[in-house]
Amino acid sequence: MIIKNLPFASAEYDRRIALVRSAMDVAGIDTLFVTDPSNQAWLTGYDGWSFYVHQGVILQGEGDPIWWGRRQDASGARRTVWMDDDNVRGYADHFVQSTERHPMQELAGILQELGAEHIGVEMDNYYFSAKAFAVMQSSLPDARFSDATAMVNWKRGVKSEPELEYMRNAARISEKIIDGLLERVEPGVPKNEVVAEIYRDAVRGVDGAWGDYPAIVPLLPSGTDAAAPHLTWDGRPFETGEATFFEISGCYRRYHAPFCRSLFLGTPPDFLKRAEAALVEGLEAGLEAARAGNRACDIANALAAPLEAAGIERGERCGYPIGLSYPPDWGERTISLRVTDETVLEPNMTFHFMPGLWMADWGLEITESIRITEDGPAECFCDRPRKMFVKP
Amino acid sequence: MIIKNLPFASAEYDRRIALVRSAMDVAGIDTLFVTDPSNQAWLTGYDGWSFYVHQGVILQGEGDPIWWGRRQDASGARRTVWMDDDNVRGYADHFVQSTERHPMQELAGILQELGAEHIGVEMDNYYFSAKAFAVMQSSLPDARFSDATAMVNWKRGVKSEPELEYMRNAARISEKIIDGLLERVEPGVPKNEVVAEIYRDAVRGVDGAWGDYPAIVPLLPSGTDAAAPHLTWDGRPFETGEATFFEISGCYRRYHAPFCRSLFLGTPPDFLKRAEAALVEGLEAGLEAARAGNRACDIANALAAPLEAAGIERGERCGYPIGLSYPPDWGERTISLRVTDETVLEPNMTFHFMPGLWMADWGLEITESIRITEDGPAECFCDRPRKMFVKP
C-alpha cells in the first residue's frame, strides 16, 4: 500500500490543468509534452531527482495527464503523482544512455497510441535536448510540432493561496539562514564552514516547515570576486576589508523565497556606502512601482533612476518570477524585470526583485522576494533590514 | 588583480585538450562546441552555477579554447579558467530568456569569425536544448553539424593521478557522511534533521579537503518507498521495522566518490537478509571481475549470478563512470556496467559500482566507488563494512 503525501488538494491540480488546456487551445495543439521538472511537478506532483534521464508529462485535451519516464522512476511517480497508476508509464533500462536506442523512440509509440497529431514541446528547456527532439521528429514523421517553451511556466505566474503559504514557509527559512550566517561570518572563518551551517539551517527548516533542497546552491563570493555573480565557495577564510554577498533561498516542498544580503568585514569604503544607499533607494522605489496594473519595466525603471544618479549603470535585468523549482534555476523563465518587458503585473505574482550589482572589481547584493498585492506596493516575503551589514 | 586558484596544473589541461583534439580529428570536425558543464570545467577549469543560461566552450584544432557565456558570467570565467582574458567572451543580458533573440545567434557570429565549418555539438546534453540547436542551424546555414555527444566524456574516463587524489579526498568525505548518519538515525528522528547533518558533514569536509556540493542531493527513501531509487526527503521520522538506503557522495573540487549503505531499524526480515547476502556476494564477484582487460559486461555478469541464484532479477545497469560532475548527474554518461556493454576496462578508469535493488515494495543499496588497477581486482575508494547495517 502506497501512502501518498501530495503537496496540494485535487482542486489545485484541476485549476492548473484547466489553465494549461486553455493555453493549448489557443496554440492549437492537441498534445503537450512537458519536460521541465518544475512544470511536471506543478501539473502532477511528481517529485524525485530523476531528471538526469529523459522523462516528461503528456497532457491532452481530455483525461488525466500521463507521467512517462525510466521504469525504475515509475516507482517514484506512483508515490508522488495524483493520477492513477495507469497513468504512469516506464521505459526499459536499456534505453538509458544507450548509443543504440533512445527513450524518445519509446515515447513516440505512446504518443502514436494516444493519437497525438499536433504536439507542443518545450524547445528551450534544459531537459529537452536537441537529440530528444530529433528522435521525436524522425519517429513521428506525420506529427506536427510546435514550440511550447514556457507555456506551462506562464500559467504558474499567479500563485494560489496554498502556494503562497509554502513560499512564506520558505521565507522563514531564508531569514533563518541569513540570521545564522551574519552571526557566524568572521575574519579567518573558512567559507565552507559557513556554508555547512547554511545548509544545516536550510534543511532543518523552521517550526512546522522542514527544509527542502533549493534549486541553486549558496553563492557567496567575496571582495573582488563579488564582481562575478555565480561563484560558489571554497575553503579559504573570510577576510577583513572585504564585502561578501550571500545569495540563498529557503525551500519548502520545492517552493522558494530567494533572499540576498551583503556583509562587510571592517570599515566599508565610501564608494561601497554610496552604492548601498543608491541600491536601497532603488529597491524602495521599485517596491513602490511593483503594483498590480503597472508593468514589469516600471520596476526596472524605478530602480534605475537612483542607481544612475549615483553613477551606477547595470546592464542586467533586475528580477524574475519565482515559486516551484528544480535545479538548475529557481526562476520561472517567463517575465524579466527589465526596461523592455511590458508584462502587466497581477495580484499574487511573485518575483525575486534582484538588482545585484556586479561591477568591475566589486559586488553587492541586497534583494527581496516579493508578492504583488491587490493594491498598494509589493509585499516582501522576508523581513530583515534592507542594508549592507557591517562587522567592524 | 585576479588571483586564480586553478584545480590543476597546465600540463593536465594540455593532456586533456590533446585527447579531445585527437577525437575531433577522427570525427573530422574542425570545431567542437561543448555545453556539458562537466566537460567545460574539465577542459578549462570553468566553475560557477551559471549553467541555467546558455554557455559553452569552443575548441578548435589550434589555439586555446574559448569560454563563451552571459556577460556577467564572463567575470566568473576570468577568475576560474586557465586561458587568457581574450579567450573569454560574454553576450549581452538582453539575450537572456528573451522571446525576441537567442544567445545562439550571438554564438553563431563568433563561430563564423573563427571560420568554423564542421561543428560538433553535444546533441544529447541537458544544456544543449532543441531550440539552441535550431537557432544554430538557422544562423549558420553553410555550416555542417555532427553529433559529438560524449566525445569529451569518453576522454575523461581514465583518470590522472591528480584527479584520483581529488576523488580520494571525496571518498574521505563520503565515509564521514556515512559514519555520521549511521550514528544519528534512530526511530523518531525526522528525516530532514539527518539530511541537515549529512550536508553539514559534506560541506565541512575532512582535514585538508573542504567540501563542495555534490551533483546529486542525498537520496534516502525508507521502507516500501525504497522501491523508488530517486526520492529525496521530507520531515517524517524514521520508523522501526524499516530499511532506508542512503545514496550520498562527498565532493572535492567537483570530484565525486558516491557511496551507498543501507540501515535497518529493528530486526530485519529474512528476505532482506538473504537479499543482503546475495548482493554482497555479487559485489565481491563484481570487484574480482573489475580488472583491466576485462569488459564492462564482465562486472555485470559476475554480479548477476549470485543475485539470480537468490531469485533477484535486476533490470537495470549496475554502474557508470564517475569523476568531475555538475548537476543533475554525477555519472559520466559513457560506459554502462551492463551485460550488453563490451567496453574494455583500463587502469585508472573509475566507476560507481551501483547494483541498487529496487523491488516491488522494498529496496536495498550497498555500493562501492572503484578504481580499475594495473592488475588485480578493483580498488574501493571507501573503506567501510560492505553490509546492511542494523540498529536493533
Side-chain angles (χ1 to χ4, degrees), chain A residues 2 24 52 58 65 72 75 80 95 106 117 120 130 167 173 192 202 209 226 232 289 298 305 307 314 319 336 353 389:
Chain A
I2 293 173
M24 290 169 64
Y52 70 90
I58 305 162
Q72 61 175 225
S75 301
T80 57
F95 283 102
E106 218 258 11
E117 290 177 359
M167 293 179 73
I173 300 175
N192 68 305
T232 52
D298 294 326
L307 285 175
R314 292 182 76 253
S336 283
F353 182 18
F389 288 77

Side-chain angles (χ1 to χ4, degrees), chain B residues 120-283:
Chain B
V121 289
E122 298 175 307
M123 289 289 287
D124 214 0
N125 183 258
Y126 315 108
Y127 300 102
F128 191 63
S129 70
K131 177 83 172 184
F133 186 46
V135 174
M136 274 182 96
Q137 284 179 303
S138 67
S139 304
L140 293 166
D142 298 328
R144 196 175 140 207
F145 293 93
S146 285
D147 187 356
T149 301
M151 179 182 280
V152 178
N153 306 57
W154 276 101
K155 299 301 170 190
R156 287 161 45 195
V158 174
K159 304 297 180 290
S160 67
E161 196 45 53
E163 289 183 295
L164 291 170
E165 205 45 57
Y166 284 7
M167 293 179 73
R168 291 189 187 106
N169 282 342
R172 296 293 80 71
I173 299 175
S174 296
E175 290 171 342
K176 178 184 171 188
I177 294 170
I178 292 290
D179 291 347
L181 66 89
L182 288 173
E183 193 178 307
R184 292 182 194 112
V185 174
E186 299 280 354
V189 175
K191 207 163 260 198
N192 68 303
E193 294 281 342
V194 169
V195 176
E197 305 300 330
I198 288 175
Y199 266 114
R200 186 168 186 257
D201 282 344
V203 177
R204 294 191 76 189
V206 295
D207 276 351
W210 56 274
D212 210 342
Y213 59 91
I216 300 181
V217 298
L219 305 170
L220 58 163
S222 299
T224 59
D225 282 352
H230 294 117
L231 298 179
T232 52
W233 66 85
D234 59 23
R236 286 177 292 181
F238 288 96
E239 285 181 27
T240 301
E242 287 189 341
T244 303
F245 67 72
F246 297 86
E247 182 165 347
I248 58 89
S249 181
C251 185
Y252 180 70
R253 300 202 79 163
R254 310 300 328 127
Y255 281 79
H256 293 72
F259 193 47
C260 311
R261 285 293 182 265
S262 296
L263 172 64
F264 194 94
L265 295 176
T267 306
D270 279 347
F271 81 87
L272 212 49
K273 280 168 35 185
R274 282 196 300 271
E276 177 204 13
L279 182 55
V280 170
E281 193 185 332
L283 276 161

Side-chain angles (χ1 to χ4, degrees), chain A residues 115-388:
Chain A
E117 290 177 359
H118 187 177
I119 305 166
V121 289
E122 297 175 307
M123 289 289 287
D124 213 0
N125 184 258
Y126 315 108
Y127 300 102
F128 191 63
S129 70
K131 176 82 171 186
F133 186 46
V135 175
M136 273 181 97
Q137 284 179 303
S138 66
S139 305
L140 294 165
D142 298 328
R144 196 174 141 208
F145 293 92
S146 285
D147 186 358
T149 302
M151 178 182 280
V152 177
N153 306 57
W154 277 101
K155 298 301 169 189
R156 287 161 45 194
V158 174
K159 304 296 179 290
S160 67
E161 196 45 53
E163 289 183 296
L164 291 170
E165 204 45 56
Y166 283 8
M167 293 179 73
R168 289 186 188 107
N169 283 343
R172 296 294 80 71
I173 300 175
S174 297
E175 290 170 344
K176 179 186 171 187
I177 294 170
I178 291 290
D179 291 347
L181 67 88
L182 288 173
E183 195 178 305
R184 292 181 195 113
V185 175
E186 300 280 355
V189 175
K191 207 163 259 197
N192 68 305
E193 294 281 340
V194 169
V195 176
E197 305 300 330
I198 288 175
Y199 266 113
R200 186 168 186 255
D201 282 344
V203 177
R204 294 192 75 188
V206 296
D207 277 351
W210 56 274
D212 210 342
Y213 60 91
I216 301 181
V217 299
L219 305 171
L220 57 162
S222 300
T224 58
D225 281 351
H230 295 117
L231 298 179
T232 52
W233 67 84
D234 58 23
R236 286 177 291 181
F238 288 96
E239 285 181 26
T240 302
E242 287 189 341
T244 303
F245 67 72
F246 297 87
E247 182 165 346
I248 58 89
S249 181
C251 184
Y252 180 70
R253 301 202 78 164
R254 310 302 326 129
Y255 281 78
H256 293 73
F259 192 47
C260 311
R261 287 293 182 264
S262 297
L263 171 64
F264 195 94
L265 296 176
T267 307
D270 279 348
F271 81 88
L272 212 50
K273 280 163 46 179
R274 282 195 301 272
E276 177 203 11
L279 181 55
V280 170
E281 193 185 333
L283 275 161
E284 282 163 5
L287 291 172
E288 276 296 324
R291 290 166 187 262
N294 279 1
R295 298 160 306 166
C297 56
D298 294 326
I299 305 177
N301 284 322
L303 166 79
L307 285 175
E308 278 167 23
I312 296 170
E313 195 117 13
R314 292 182 76 253
E316 300 90 358
R317 63 183 185 160
C318 64
Y320 43 77
I322 48 165
L324 187 164
S325 273
Y326 283 84
D329 188 14
W330 58 40
E332 286 181 353
R333 297 182 299 283
T334 49
I335 303 167
S336 283
L337 302 184
R338 57 184 157 205
V339 294
T340 52
D341 193 322
E342 303 197 345
T343 311
V344 175
L345 305 174
E346 295 175 48
N348 294 332
M349 282 182 170
T350 52
F351 296 93
H352 186 203
F353 182 18
M354 205 305 173
L357 302 183
W358 306 290
M359 314 314 282
D361 58 359
W362 58 277
L364 194 64
E365 288 188 5
I366 305 173
T367 77
E368 299 287 354
S369 278
I370 63 173
R371 177 178 79 86
I372 306 300
T373 61
E374 287 61 27
D375 53 67
E379 174 193 306
C380 293
F381 278 99
C382 296
D383 179 19
R384 288 298 179 272
R386 194 172 297 136
K387 65 174 191 177
M388 174 174 72

